[in-house]
């Protein structure tokens, strides 16, 4: 099987499967669409990394990979449909009845965002939330981009940024729109503060019930 030598790993793979699908793990019965895999790679890379178990159904049943085509599809997804291209570490494990499960480990990106190239080369950044790949909020993407430019983070906090931190400390979790209305500030003013504080790691953006919220990073 290409350059990957399958090793015995029945116990190891079953232990991973028992965890189910979560923020850092996804099951794939087979690889039929490189772009869909690129979305998973983007989502894991933009979060804290993760792994795909190929040859495992959603219910955790092991069916094994088909052939080397699955490996080539993952490599193609990482190189041709991810921007910038990503590296995926692949290992193969022999399980029940000689079935082979492929583990594709995606590390956290050293530089975010990692985009998936959609139709017409449209760049979309994904993020992993629980067991789903979701489109990252545009302010998250801007914050990741700002974090790569340290000069934008070296300036002291502005009065507007301090005000946002104080408000979140008192009110807790809220949407940017809710803060905009509560503070009687313009959209651009609020978003400018949110992006910089996200880039600094002082606040975080969470996704719940199909909406994005902001909160202080030390909130539980």
């Amino acid at each position: 099987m290409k350059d990957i030598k399958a090793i015995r790993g029945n116990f190891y793979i079953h232990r991973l499967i028992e965890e189910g699908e979560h923020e850092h793990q996804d099951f794939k019965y087979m690889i039929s669409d490189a772009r869909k895999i690129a979305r998973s790679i983007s989502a894991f890379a933009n979060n804290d990394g993760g792994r795909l178990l190929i040859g495992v159904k959603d219910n955790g049943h092991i069916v094994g990979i088909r052939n080397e085509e699955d490996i080539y599809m993952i490599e193609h997804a990482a190189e041709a449909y991810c921007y910038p291209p990503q590296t995926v570490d692949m290992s193969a494990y022999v399980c029940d009845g000689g079935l082979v499960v492929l583990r594709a480990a995606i590390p956290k990106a050293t530089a975010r965002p990692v985009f998936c190239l959609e139709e017409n080369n449209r760049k979309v950044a994904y993020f992993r939330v629980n067991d789903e790949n979701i489109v990252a909020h545009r302010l998250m993407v801007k914050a990741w981009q700002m974090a790569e430019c340290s000069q934008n983070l070296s300036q002291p906090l502005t009065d507007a940024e301090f005000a946002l931190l104080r408000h979140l400390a008192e009110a807790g979790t809220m949407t940017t729109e809710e803060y905009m209305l509560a503070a009687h500030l313009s959209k651009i003013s609020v978003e400018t503060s949110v992006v910089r504080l996200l880039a600094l790691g002082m606040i975080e953006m969470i996704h719940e019930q199909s909406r994005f919220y902001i909160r202080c990073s030390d909130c539980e």
Side-chain angles (χ1 to χ4, degrees):
M1 185 174 61
K2 205 187 175 205
D3 297 326
I4 302 176
K5 180 178 176 61
I7 61 175
R8 288 184 294 179
N10 189 56
F11 175 78
Y12 171 66
I13 292 299
H14 276 282
R15 182 162 57 84
L16 293 182
I17 290 174
E18 286 177 1
E19 296 178 9
E21 294 181 303
H22 52 70
E23 185 174 324
H24 303 293
Q25 180 166 279
D26 201 3
F27 301 157
K28 295 293 180 185
Y29 166 53
M30 60 185 292
I31 308 298
S32 59
D33 188 330
R35 183 173 275 117
K36 286 183 178 179
I37 293 302
R39 291 170 188 153
S40 293
I41 295 172
S42 168
F44 283 130
N46 286 327
N47 197 342
D48 289 318
R51 59 180 169 263
L52 300 170
L53 295 183
I54 298 94
V56 178
K57 288 187 174 182
D58 289 344
N59 62 6
H61 180 66
I62 296 175
V63 293
I65 63 173
R66 299 169 299 168
N67 48 47
E68 293 181 359
E69 185 64 22
D70 287 330
I71 299 173
Y72 286 114
M73 288 283 279
I74 294 171
E75 290 180 337
H76 184 59
E79 295 171 3
Y81 288 103
C82 288
Y83 181 83
Q86 298 297 295
T87 299
V88 178
D89 179 31
M90 287 183 276
S91 303
Y93 298 88
V94 181
C95 300
D96 305 333
L99 297 174
V100 175
V101 171
L102 185 67
R103 185 199 67 184
I106 299 99
K108 179 178 180 178
T110 55
R112 297 183 295 178
V114 172
F115 294 100
C116 172
L117 300 179
E118 298 285 359
E119 297 291 342
N120 300 319
N121 282 328
R122 183 170 58 95
K123 296 178 182 176
V124 179
Y126 288 85
F127 193 69
R128 187 76 176 176
V129 175
N130 297 323
D131 60 350
E132 294 184 273
N133 302 326
I134 65 169
V135 176
H137 194 285
R138 59 187 179 82
L139 298 187
M140 294 172 69
V141 175
K142 288 184 177 181
W144 292 334
Q145 292 169 328
M146 179 179 285
E148 297 302 311
C149 304
S150 57
Q151 62 184 26
N152 294 325
L153 305 179
S154 59
Q155 300 298 319
L157 294 184
T158 65
D159 290 342
E161 290 162 353
F162 274 122
L164 174 54
L165 289 173
R166 287 194 297 269
H167 196 92
L168 288 177
E170 296 176 0
T173 302
M174 60 173 41
T175 66
T176 55
E177 292 79 8
E178 288 170 342
Y179 177 66
M180 183 177 68
L181 293 173
H184 305 290
L185 294 172
S186 68
K187 181 178 180 180
I188 189 170
S189 175
V190 170
E191 291 189 351
T192 297
S193 296
V194 167
V195 168
R196 189 157 181 267
L197 291 175
L198 282 171
L200 287 166
M202 301 183 76
I203 66 172
E204 60 186 0
M205 187 166 275
I206 60 173
H207 185 267
E208 293 180 350
Q209 299 178 338
S210 301
R211 299 186 71 185
F212 282 94
Y213 298 85
I214 53 173
R215 67 181 184 185
C216 294
S217 293
D218 58 358
C219 292
E220 294 295 331

